[in-house]
Amino acid sequence: METDKNYRSALKEELLGLKENGVTFRVNGDEVEPEDGLIDMLLNENDCTYMRNYEFKGGKLVEIEFEKINLKQTT
């Protein structure tokens, strides 16, 4: 679907731009690179999503942590 391709491209461009500005990325505590593997993970999980937590130092964004949020909760 064209919309999915456009969203994927926009997400990749966003993350690479942030990396160029010195932002690091983590997924559940592990440092990762903003490459296709990360983008696949962020977009292809069906029963979860990833919440962004932003870390700032001196008013500058320095890190984004992607925290996995399960959408299907068991009781």
Side-chain angles (χ1 to χ4, degrees):
M1 179 180 261
E2 188 65 28
T3 302
D4 292 340
K5 187 176 179 182
N6 290 340
Y7 183 74
R8 178 185 178 79
S9 177
L11 178 60
K12 185 174 184 175
E13 185 177 326
E14 174 194 6
L15 296 179
L16 290 174
L18 288 167
K19 180 182 178 181
E20 286 180 13
N21 287 312
V23 177
T24 58
F25 303 91
R26 294 187 179 279
V27 175
N28 297 321
D30 297 321
E31 190 168 331
V32 296
E33 290 294 319
E35 298 172 345
D36 288 330
L38 172 62
I39 293 165
D40 288 342
M41 183 190 69
L42 295 174
L43 297 179
N44 293 330
E45 296 280 346
N46 293 325
D47 60 346
C48 71
T49 189
Y50 288 85
M51 178 177 68
R52 292 184 186 196
N53 294 309
Y54 298 93
E55 182 179 331
F56 293 88
K57 288 188 180 170
K60 181 180 177 189
L61 178 62
V62 294
E63 183 176 285
I64 298 174
E65 165 87 22
F66 294 97
E67 182 179 347
K68 187 174 184 176
I69 307 295
N70 290 321
L71 300 174
K72 295 181 181 180
Q73 296 287 330
T74 58
T75 55

